């Protein structure tokens, strides 16, 4: 079933016209018919089942049928911070990180980044936010992750997070393997986690010092060297395994969460 | 340091000329100099440090300096089976699965695949094997994963594996969350694991029945719907977290493995 995000509250029984872009997608791209069902997510992050009543003047009108007890969000809120990387890597990070449950994506220039966004950052972020929306629809998220640009790493240091991590290859080389598992598995439901990932060139020693002094704990991601766009995906999968799968061994099904 | 795979045994003290492609890469692409060091992996999957002695007639000659006690392979051998998918998705799967430690990648037509390879399969596999080599060099693997095409799922059923899994969205919807963690974390070092992932259209109920009857256990990968190219990466990260990180809490560093 198609899944769209609306910028409003919803109540069963409501009859509404869908916004132009969603109407266009349902009518012109998918050739939907009266009677077809869709999932709509309210601004309260609640998913509703709706049914198409009529299509007129390029607008699709639906009736809200019922609230669905579906929550696919990670039990912890994960912010991924990526050093600026080349080509389509930021798009890949945003798309895949959204599928894997990230709450927020931050892009930041780092010492060893080989690209600069500067003037282009607004345009880049706008495009990446569209990628996040599309991936959130596709993976049936309750929330569209926000995408943000920061001028420098230091701008991160004022935000409060329950757990601050930085992926560091040298940690893995030194045999450090426990921090990720220990700290993420030990997080409380609702905890906010931020993890910093370097650009293609890696994280500079100065940046590691700066991050450490501001409470970021270095973590290894296993012994293999991963590309800049692969490491955040490994980390998000780890967060899911440790908080959703391993933590759920004796708990009821996810659909009972709401 | 650059990392290349050789099709021969190596011994400290050996002086050898490197194959044409590697010589070209070092000399013409990277502009390497006499004295530069490289890592060479022998056909025994052992990594050696080598130093460039001279460059003559487009061949780079090196001396093998010493054996490096480095093993970055997963403690379990993971075979990823993917239904044929569109565009560059197979390349993305091979590249990222190699970075994440897969031993083998198998591509197979499935009921709901929207593409067919048929006559093109040899050419496709040749290209994907090159992607695996390049990713294995980049991620400093000890082994280049093999890439294979099978005509149908049934061709899998004769191979012996210690653990057979199939990713199934309906398992996740039904709240099944324990199989992946329980079965992978419970695997012995050296165990062979195979996991099947459907194409864009998903796995058909007939295929699930066929797989189940042949010992494949359905597993959920968390509550979010992931694209066909994302699910194997989630699974491989899970294998790493469960066998390398969580399993290593009280063990010596990975570099001591050999």
């Amino acid at each position: 079933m198609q899944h769209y995000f609306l910028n409003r509250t919803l109540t069963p029984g409501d009859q509404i016209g869908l916004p132009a872009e969603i109407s266009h997608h349902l009518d012109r791209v998918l050739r939907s018919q009266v009677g077809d069902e869709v999932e709509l997510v309210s601004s309260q992050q609640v998913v509703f089942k709706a049914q198409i009543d009529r299509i007129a003047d390029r607008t699709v009108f639906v009736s809200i049928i019922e609230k669905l007890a579906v929550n696919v969000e990670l039990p912890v809120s994960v912010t991924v911070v990526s050093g600026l990387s080349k080509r389509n890597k930021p798009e890949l990070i945003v798309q895949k990180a959204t599928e894997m449950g990230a709450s927020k994506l931050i892009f930041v220039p780092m010492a060893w980044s080989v690209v600069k966004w500067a003037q282009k950052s607004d345009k880049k972020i706008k495009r990446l936010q569209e990628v996040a929306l599309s991936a959130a629809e596709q993976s049936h998220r309750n929330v569209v992750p926000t995408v943000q640009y920061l001028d420098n790493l230091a701008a991160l240091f004022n935000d409060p997070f329950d757990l601050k991590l930085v992926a560091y290859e040298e940690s893995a080389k030194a045999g450090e393997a426990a921090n990720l598992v220990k700290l993420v598995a030990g997080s409380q439901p609702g905890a906010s986690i931020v993890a910093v990932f370097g650009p293609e060139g890696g994280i500079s020693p100065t940046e590691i010092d700066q991050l450490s002094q501001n409470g970021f704990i270095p973590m290894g991601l296993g012994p293999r060297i991963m590309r800049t766009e692969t490491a955040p995906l490994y980390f998000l999968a780890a967060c899911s395994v440790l908080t959703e799968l391993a933590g759920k061994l004796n708990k009821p099904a996810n659909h009972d969460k709401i």
Side-chain angles (χ1 to χ4, degrees), chain A:
Chain A
M1 205 185 301
Q2 292 297 310
H3 184 98
Y4 300 103
F5 292 86
L6 297 184
N7 195 13
R8 53 168 289 168
T9 58
L10 294 170
T11 309
D14 282 355
Q15 294 181 303
I16 60 171
L18 296 176
E21 280 189 21
I22 297 174
S23 288
H24 176 84
H25 192 247
L26 280 169
D27 181 22
R28 299 304 175 104
V29 180
L30 300 174
R31 306 280 170 197
S32 302
Q33 304 293 323
V34 168
D36 287 356
E37 293 181 342
V38 296
E39 285 180 10
L40 299 174
V41 188
S42 73
S43 52
Q44 315 290 307
Q45 307 176 356
V46 178
V47 185
F48 291 83
K49 186 161 83 175
Q51 191 172 37
I52 300 180
D53 288 335
R54 63 192 173 93
I55 302 174
D57 294 334
R58 300 192 175 183
T59 298
V60 173
F61 293 86
V62 299
S63 291
I64 306 301
I65 308 291
E66 59 178 343
K67 181 170 152 178
L68 300 175
V70 175
N71 184 358
V72 303
E73 297 304 309
L74 280 171
V76 288
S77 150
V78 181
T79 297
V80 166
V81 180
S82 284
L84 300 187
S85 54
K86 288 191 289 188
R87 293 191 293 274
N88 69 341
K89 287 177 184 178
E91 290 196 16
L92 190 73
I93 293 169
V94 170
Q95 183 189 76
K96 301 290 168 240
T98 299
E99 290 178 60
M100 289 195 181
S103 290
K104 187 170 183 176
L105 284 300
I106 294 176
F107 291 87
V108 62
M110 290 177 71
W112 292 349
S113 290
V114 291
V115 287
K116 285 192 169 58
W117 287 5
Q119 319 301 336
K120 290 178 291 187
S121 66
D122 283 355
K123 198 176 155 193
K124 292 262 191 192
I125 294 298
K126 185 163 178 285
R127 168 69 192 140
L128 293 174
Q129 191 65 64
E130 290 166 1
V131 171
L133 172 61
S134 171
E137 287 174 353
Q138 199 271 343
S139 53
H140 286 214
R141 294 279 306 265
N142 292 60
V143 182
V144 184
T146 52
V147 187
Q148 187 184 3
Y149 177 80
L150 290 180
D151 284 328
N152 54 67
L153 266 185
L156 265 184
F157 300 155
N158 297 323
D159 288 353
F161 289 99
D162 296 313
L163 176 59
K164 301 180 185 191
L165 297 164
V166 50
Y168 193 40
E169 219 168 75
E170 300 302 321
S171 294
K173 283 190 192 158
E176 188 293 296
N179 279 346
L180 191 166
V181 171
K182 194 175 58 188
L183 297 172
V184 172
S187 291
Q188 297 298 311
S192 58
I193 301 176
V194 63
V196 176
F197 300 87
E200 286 100 340
I203 295 192
S204 77
T206 309
E207 286 169 329
I208 283 289
D209 287 348
Q210 191 190 10
L211 285 159
S212 298
Q213 283 158 23
N214 285 278
F216 284 75
I217 302 167
M219 64 170 168
L221 301 175
R224 289 164 299 283
I225 297 171
M226 286 183 282
R227 284 176 167 84
T228 180
E229 74 277 22
T230 313
L233 311 184
Y234 179 104
F235 177 71
L236 283 161
C239 288
S240 167
V241 169
L242 296 168
T243 66
E244 289 181 317
L245 302 195
K248 282 186 62 184
L249 288 170
N250 301 307
K251 289 186 196 164
N254 185 280
H255 284 68
D256 297 337
K257 264 192 203 168
I258 283 187

